[in-house]
Amino acid sequence: MTTTIPRRRLGALETSALGLGCMGISFAYGPPAEESGTEAIRRALDLGITMIDTAEIYGPFRNEEVVGAAIAGRRDEVQLATKFGFSFADGTRIDGVNGSPANAKRALEGSLKRLNVDYVDLWYQHRVDPNVPIEETVGAMAEAVAAGKVRHLGLSEASAATIRRAHATHPIAAVQSEYSLWSRDVEAEVLPALRELGIGFVPYSPLGRGFLTGTVNPESLGNDDFRRTNPRFSGENAERNAALVDIVRSVAAKHGATPAQIALAWVLSRGEDLVPIPGTTKASRVEENAGALNIELDEDDLTRLNGIAENVAGERYNAAGRAYIQH
């Protein structure tokens, strides 16, 4: 692998043009894969992929411990991002969002301990709490910046109006939301607002939770894989969406690339202010994803790929998941 990973900026934070999402190492996509996931994180750093993304909720809690151990001795190489914003019943069961200043302070101290670091580079509110004014939440987050425990602030799945209010309280470096060939909601209001304000954008699930790679069979997903509850992976929706993956495969064949590389190349082409964070538990997939940086899509490719979102079947979350986004 000879790919040189270029750099991009998220607000005032400079990082690699491609990051690594670590959720699946511990959470949501079946049994944990800590050993191979640790190898994936370390391979990413070897390649120059330095934006490493985790969250309190992943596990919950365990993923931060895995990430902290994986980057031990290499802290200066990493732009480390984590997230907070949920409350937990019985210590571990997620029971809702909580954007209170007290929860922010509790969460950060726990994250720093589990990650075994003195500070995080980018600290996101994972989901906006509609019952707590964003000014109060961001005000508490800003106190962590002043204390040297956080370098930059972020939001995840926030509306344009909330982003504006947050940014007026304290500079927001990045906003993280789902964005891919089949999820382009943010283009209507969120992306224009980010560009107006000089805020970077971090697309998560840029591979459509694996569907766009053409390597996931929805019928074979385990009972502990949350994608079984995702409308796009279910029944007739999955069958219809498989035809969209054929378009990605066709473009990939033209470039001698994989569908994953084409899906990532499309996201990367959307602007220099985007840093996608594809997730994986395998070092080989990290290397494959890095290859997307070498692909230049032409106008014909873009025309074919741009039509995918118009024909996708199913919402990107079920009703329970949709309740938490775009506040």
Side-chain angles (χ1 to χ4, degrees), residues 156-180:
S156 180
E157 289 287 4
S159 68
T162 296
I163 293 164
R164 291 180 187 280
R165 289 169 54 197
H167 192 63
T169 303
H170 184 279
I172 300 298
V175 167
Q176 180 176 137
S177 290
E178 185 173 355
Y179 187 56
S180 68

PDB file of all heavy atoms in Angstrom, residues 156-180:
ATOM      1  N   SER A 156     -23.528  15.952  16.416  1.00  0.00           N
ATOM      2  CA  SER A 156     -23.873  14.851  15.524  1.00  0.00           C
ATOM      3  C   SER A 156     -25.375  14.834  15.291  1.00  0.00           C
ATOM      4  O   SER A 156     -26.155  14.933  16.239  1.00  0.00           O
ATOM      5  CB  SER A 156     -23.428  13.515  16.122  1.00  0.00           C
ATOM      6  OG  SER A 156     -23.756  12.443  15.259  1.00  0.00           O
ATOM      7  N   GLU A 157     -25.770  14.704  14.039  1.00  0.00           N
ATOM      8  CA  GLU A 157     -27.176  14.623  13.629  1.00  0.00           C
ATOM      9  C   GLU A 157     -27.991  15.807  14.150  1.00  0.00           C
ATOM     10  O   GLU A 157     -29.121  15.644  14.628  1.00  0.00           O
ATOM     11  CB  GLU A 157     -27.802  13.299  14.084  1.00  0.00           C
ATOM     12  CG  GLU A 157     -27.294  12.091  13.326  1.00  0.00           C
ATOM     13  CD  GLU A 157     -27.816  12.000  11.887  1.00  0.00           C
ATOM     14  OE1 GLU A 157     -28.525  12.923  11.459  1.00  0.00           O
ATOM     15  OE2 GLU A 157     -27.485  11.006  11.215  1.00  0.00           O
ATOM     16  N   ALA A 158     -27.431  16.995  14.040  1.00  0.00           N
ATOM     17  CA  ALA A 158     -28.121  18.214  14.461  1.00  0.00           C
ATOM     18  C   ALA A 158     -28.718  18.927  13.253  1.00  0.00           C
ATOM     19  O   ALA A 158     -28.211  18.815  12.135  1.00  0.00           O
ATOM     20  CB  ALA A 158     -27.150  19.141  15.185  1.00  0.00           C
ATOM     21  N   SER A 159     -29.780  19.681  13.488  1.00  0.00           N
ATOM     22  CA  SER A 159     -30.391  20.473  12.421  1.00  0.00           C
ATOM     23  C   SER A 159     -29.559  21.724  12.158  1.00  0.00           C
ATOM     24  O   SER A 159     -28.730  22.141  12.982  1.00  0.00           O
ATOM     25  CB  SER A 159     -31.799  20.893  12.820  1.00  0.00           C
ATOM     26  OG  SER A 159     -31.750  21.832  13.893  1.00  0.00           O
ATOM     27  N   ALA A 160     -29.803  22.350  11.017  1.00  0.00           N
ATOM     28  CA  ALA A 160     -29.079  23.577  10.677  1.00  0.00           C
ATOM     29  C   ALA A 160     -29.328  24.667  11.715  1.00  0.00           C
ATOM     30  O   ALA A 160     -28.410  25.401  12.107  1.00  0.00           O
ATOM     31  CB  ALA A 160     -29.485  24.055   9.284  1.00  0.00           C
ATOM     32  N   ALA A 161     -30.569  24.779  12.188  1.00  0.00           N
ATOM     33  CA  ALA A 161     -30.887  25.816  13.175  1.00  0.00           C
ATOM     34  C   ALA A 161     -30.136  25.582  14.478  1.00  0.00           C
ATOM     35  O   ALA A 161     -29.598  26.535  15.086  1.00  0.00           O
ATOM     36  CB  ALA A 161     -32.391  25.844  13.430  1.00  0.00           C
ATOM     37  N   THR A 162     -30.059  24.333  14.915  1.00  0.00           N
ATOM     38  CA  THR A 162     -29.327  24.021  16.147  1.00  0.00           C
ATOM     39  C   THR A 162     -27.842  24.280  15.968  1.00  0.00           C
ATOM     40  O   THR A 162     -27.174  24.802  16.882  1.00  0.00           O
ATOM     41  CB  THR A 162     -29.578  22.559  16.548  1.00  0.00           C
ATOM     42  OG1 THR A 162     -30.962  22.394  16.858  1.00  0.00           O
ATOM     43  CG2 THR A 162     -28.750  22.170  17.758  1.00  0.00           C
ATOM     44  N   ILE A 163     -27.320  23.939  14.822  1.00  0.00           N
ATOM     45  CA  ILE A 163     -25.891  24.176  14.547  1.00  0.00           C
ATOM     46  C   ILE A 163     -25.576  25.665  14.644  1.00  0.00           C
ATOM     47  O   ILE A 163     -24.555  26.063  15.233  1.00  0.00           O
ATOM     48  CB  ILE A 163     -25.518  23.623  13.161  1.00  0.00           C
ATOM     49  CG1 ILE A 163     -25.612  22.089  13.164  1.00  0.00           C
ATOM     50  CG2 ILE A 163     -24.122  24.075  12.745  1.00  0.00           C
ATOM     51  CD1 ILE A 163     -25.631  21.472  11.783  1.00  0.00           C
ATOM     52  N   ARG A 164     -26.420  26.483  14.099  1.00  0.00           N
ATOM     53  CA  ARG A 164     -26.190  27.928  14.155  1.00  0.00           C
ATOM     54  C   ARG A 164     -26.174  28.435  15.593  1.00  0.00           C
ATOM     55  O   ARG A 164     -25.316  29.231  15.977  1.00  0.00           O
ATOM     56  CB  ARG A 164     -27.260  28.657  13.344  1.00  0.00           C
ATOM     57  CG  ARG A 164     -27.162  28.441  11.836  1.00  0.00           C
ATOM     58  CD  ARG A 164     -28.252  29.203  11.094  1.00  0.00           C
ATOM     59  NE  ARG A 164     -28.268  28.880   9.676  1.00  0.00           N
ATOM     60  CZ  ARG A 164     -27.430  29.394   8.782  1.00  0.00           C
ATOM     61  NH1 ARG A 164     -26.509  30.264   9.171  1.00  0.00           N
ATOM     62  NH2 ARG A 164     -27.509  29.052   7.515  1.00  0.00           N
ATOM     63  N   ARG A 165     -27.111  27.966  16.394  1.00  0.00           N
ATOM     64  CA  ARG A 165     -27.163  28.397  17.789  1.00  0.00           C
ATOM     65  C   ARG A 165     -25.941  27.904  18.562  1.00  0.00           C
ATOM     66  O   ARG A 165     -25.380  28.632  19.384  1.00  0.00           O
ATOM     67  CB  ARG A 165     -28.449  27.884  18.439  1.00  0.00           C
ATOM     68  CG  ARG A 165     -29.710  28.580  17.948  1.00  0.00           C
ATOM     69  CD  ARG A 165     -30.955  27.841  18.418  1.00  0.00           C
ATOM     70  NE  ARG A 165     -30.978  27.648  19.861  1.00  0.00           N
ATOM     71  CZ  ARG A 165     -31.764  26.771  20.491  1.00  0.00           C
ATOM     72  NH1 ARG A 165     -32.591  26.000  19.778  1.00  0.00           N
ATOM     73  NH2 ARG A 165     -31.731  26.678  21.806  1.00  0.00           N
ATOM     74  N   ALA A 166     -25.549  26.674  18.303  1.00  0.00           N
ATOM     75  CA  ALA A 166     -24.377  26.121  18.985  1.00  0.00           C
ATOM     76  C   ALA A 166     -23.121  26.894  18.624  1.00  0.00           C
ATOM     77  O   ALA A 166     -22.305  27.237  19.497  1.00  0.00           O
ATOM     78  CB  ALA A 166     -24.221  24.647  18.610  1.00  0.00           C
ATOM     79  N   HIS A 167     -22.963  27.162  17.341  1.00  0.00           N
ATOM     80  CA  HIS A 167     -21.753  27.849  16.860  1.00  0.00           C
ATOM     81  C   HIS A 167     -21.661  29.270  17.405  1.00  0.00           C
ATOM     82  O   HIS A 167     -20.564  29.799  17.600  1.00  0.00           O
ATOM     83  CB  HIS A 167     -21.764  27.855  15.336  1.00  0.00           C
ATOM     84  CG  HIS A 167     -20.468  28.259  14.705  1.00  0.00           C
ATOM     85  ND1 HIS A 167     -19.305  27.539  14.849  1.00  0.00           N
ATOM     86  CD2 HIS A 167     -20.149  29.329  13.912  1.00  0.00           C
ATOM     87  CE1 HIS A 167     -18.330  28.126  14.164  1.00  0.00           C
ATOM     88  NE2 HIS A 167     -18.819  29.216  13.600  1.00  0.00           N
ATOM     89  N   ALA A 168     -22.822  29.880  17.657  1.00  0.00           N
ATOM     90  CA  ALA A 168     -22.832  31.217  18.244  1.00  0.00           C
ATOM     91  C   ALA A 168     -22.414  31.186  19.710  1.00  0.00           C
ATOM     92  O   ALA A 168     -21.955  32.200  20.259  1.00  0.00           O
ATOM     93  CB  ALA A 168     -24.221  31.840  18.114  1.00  0.00           C
ATOM     94  N   THR A 169     -22.546  30.028  20.353  1.00  0.00           N
ATOM     95  CA  THR A 169     -22.164  29.874  21.755  1.00  0.00           C
ATOM     96  C   THR A 169     -20.674  29.603  21.893  1.00  0.00           C
ATOM     97  O   THR A 169     -20.000  30.165  22.759  1.00  0.00           O
ATOM     98  CB  THR A 169     -22.966  28.717  22.390  1.00  0.00           C
ATOM     99  OG1 THR A 169     -24.363  28.983  22.253  1.00  0.00           O
ATOM    100  CG2 THR A 169     -22.616  28.552  23.858  1.00  0.00           C
ATOM    101  N   HIS A 170     -20.157  28.716  21.042  1.00  0.00           N
ATOM    102  CA  HIS A 170     -18.725  28.393  20.996  1.00  0.00           C
ATOM    103  C   HIS A 170     -18.447  27.819  19.612  1.00  0.00           C
ATOM    104  O   HIS A 170     -19.269  27.072  19.078  1.00  0.00           O
ATOM    105  CB  HIS A 170     -18.359  27.354  22.063  1.00  0.00           C
ATOM    106  CG  HIS A 170     -16.886  27.071  22.125  1.00  0.00           C
ATOM    107  ND1 HIS A 170     -16.258  26.211  21.244  1.00  0.00           N
ATOM    108  CD2 HIS A 170     -15.913  27.552  22.947  1.00  0.00           C
ATOM    109  CE1 HIS A 170     -14.964  26.156  21.532  1.00  0.00           C
ATOM    110  NE2 HIS A 170     -14.735  26.963  22.553  1.00  0.00           N
ATOM    111  N   PRO A 171     -17.298  28.137  19.004  1.00  0.00           N
ATOM    112  CA  PRO A 171     -17.014  27.611  17.666  1.00  0.00           C
ATOM    113  C   PRO A 171     -17.144  26.088  17.596  1.00  0.00           C
ATOM    114  O   PRO A 171     -16.598  25.367  18.433  1.00  0.00           O
ATOM    115  CB  PRO A 171     -15.581  28.062  17.407  1.00  0.00           C
ATOM    116  CG  PRO A 171     -15.433  29.308  18.234  1.00  0.00           C
ATOM    117  CD  PRO A 171     -16.235  29.053  19.475  1.00  0.00           C
ATOM    118  N   ILE A 172     -17.870  25.631  16.608  1.00  0.00           N
ATOM    119  CA  ILE A 172     -18.035  24.205  16.338  1.00  0.00           C
ATOM    120  C   ILE A 172     -17.105  23.851  15.185  1.00  0.00           C
ATOM    121  O   ILE A 172     -17.150  24.478  14.125  1.00  0.00           O
ATOM    122  CB  ILE A 172     -19.496  23.869  15.976  1.00  0.00           C
ATOM    123  CG1 ILE A 172     -20.442  24.250  17.113  1.00  0.00           C
ATOM    124  CG2 ILE A 172     -19.637  22.394  15.612  1.00  0.00           C
ATOM    125  CD1 ILE A 172     -20.205  23.511  18.414  1.00  0.00           C
ATOM    126  N   ALA A 173     -16.248  22.853  15.401  1.00  0.00           N
ATOM    127  CA  ALA A 173     -15.282  22.473  14.363  1.00  0.00           C
ATOM    128  C   ALA A 173     -15.891  21.538  13.331  1.00  0.00           C
ATOM    129  O   ALA A 173     -15.564  21.624  12.144  1.00  0.00           O
ATOM    130  CB  ALA A 173     -14.064  21.804  15.003  1.00  0.00           C
ATOM    131  N   ALA A 174     -16.780  20.639  13.782  1.00  0.00           N
ATOM    132  CA  ALA A 174     -17.284  19.609  12.873  1.00  0.00           C
ATOM    133  C   ALA A 174     -18.674  19.165  13.277  1.00  0.00           C
ATOM    134  O   ALA A 174     -19.039  19.169  14.453  1.00  0.00           O
ATOM    135  CB  ALA A 174     -16.343  18.402  12.869  1.00  0.00           C
ATOM    136  N   VAL A 175     -19.438  18.764  12.284  1.00  0.00           N
ATOM    137  CA  VAL A 175     -20.731  18.128  12.482  1.00  0.00           C
ATOM    138  C   VAL A 175     -20.678  16.765  11.806  1.00  0.00           C
ATOM    139  O   VAL A 175     -20.210  16.630  10.674  1.00  0.00           O
ATOM    140  CB  VAL A 175     -21.884  18.970  11.917  1.00  0.00           C
ATOM    141  CG1 VAL A 175     -23.181  18.166  11.853  1.00  0.00           C
ATOM    142  CG2 VAL A 175     -22.076  20.237  12.752  1.00  0.00           C
ATOM    143  N   GLN A 176     -21.141  15.761  12.521  1.00  0.00           N
ATOM    144  CA  GLN A 176     -21.142  14.393  12.011  1.00  0.00           C
ATOM    145  C   GLN A 176     -22.591  13.966  11.749  1.00  0.00           C
ATOM    146  O   GLN A 176     -23.456  14.110  12.604  1.00  0.00           O
ATOM    147  CB  GLN A 176     -20.502  13.468  13.052  1.00  0.00           C
ATOM    148  CG  GLN A 176     -20.433  12.022  12.644  1.00  0.00           C
ATOM    149  CD  GLN A 176     -19.696  11.153  13.660  1.00  0.00           C
ATOM    150  OE1 GLN A 176     -20.151  10.055  13.967  1.00  0.00           O
ATOM    151  NE2 GLN A 176     -18.581  11.637  14.184  1.00  0.00           N
ATOM    152  N   SER A 177     -22.844  13.482  10.541  1.00  0.00           N
ATOM    153  CA  SER A 177     -24.156  12.947  10.191  1.00  0.00           C
ATOM    154  C   SER A 177     -23.969  11.855   9.146  1.00  0.00           C
ATOM    155  O   SER A 177     -22.926  11.778   8.501  1.00  0.00           O
ATOM    156  CB  SER A 177     -25.083  14.037   9.628  1.00  0.00           C
ATOM    157  OG  SER A 177     -25.469  14.958  10.620  1.00  0.00           O
ATOM    158  N   GLU A 178     -24.996  11.041   8.991  1.00  0.00           N
ATOM    159  CA  GLU A 178     -24.931  10.015   7.954  1.00  0.00           C
ATOM    160  C   GLU A 178     -24.939  10.680   6.581  1.00  0.00           C
ATOM    161  O   GLU A 178     -25.721  11.587   6.318  1.00  0.00           O
ATOM    162  CB  GLU A 178     -26.116   9.058   8.081  1.00  0.00           C
ATOM    163  CG  GLU A 178     -26.053   7.898   7.108  1.00  0.00           C
ATOM    164  CD  GLU A 178     -27.132   6.857   7.339  1.00  0.00           C
ATOM    165  OE1 GLU A 178     -27.889   6.979   8.321  1.00  0.00           O
ATOM    166  OE2 GLU A 178     -27.218   5.917   6.524  1.00  0.00           O
ATOM    167  N   TYR A 179     -24.058  10.196   5.692  1.00  0.00           N
ATOM    168  CA  TYR A 179     -23.974  10.753   4.345  1.00  0.00           C
ATOM    169  C   TYR A 179     -23.311   9.733   3.442  1.00  0.00           C
ATOM    170  O   TYR A 179     -22.231   9.211   3.752  1.00  0.00           O
ATOM    171  CB  TYR A 179     -23.168  12.047   4.352  1.00  0.00           C
ATOM    172  CG  TYR A 179     -23.157  12.803   3.031  1.00  0.00           C
ATOM    173  CD1 TYR A 179     -24.334  13.195   2.422  1.00  0.00           C
ATOM    174  CD2 TYR A 179     -21.957  13.136   2.417  1.00  0.00           C
ATOM    175  CE1 TYR A 179     -24.323  13.910   1.223  1.00  0.00           C
ATOM    176  CE2 TYR A 179     -21.929  13.854   1.232  1.00  0.00           C
ATOM    177  CZ  TYR A 179     -23.115  14.238   0.642  1.00  0.00           C
ATOM    178  OH  TYR A 179     -23.108  14.943  -0.552  1.00  0.00           O
ATOM    179  N   SER A 180     -23.967   9.437   2.334  1.00  0.00           N
ATOM    180  CA  SER A 180     -23.440   8.441   1.408  1.00  0.00           C
ATOM    181  C   SER A 180     -24.225   8.534   0.114  1.00  0.00           C
ATOM    182  O   SER A 180     -25.115   9.376  -0.036  1.00  0.00           O
ATOM    183  CB  SER A 180     -23.593   7.029   1.997  1.00  0.00           C
ATOM    184  OG  SER A 180     -24.964   6.676   2.074  1.00  0.00           O
TER     185      SER A 180
END
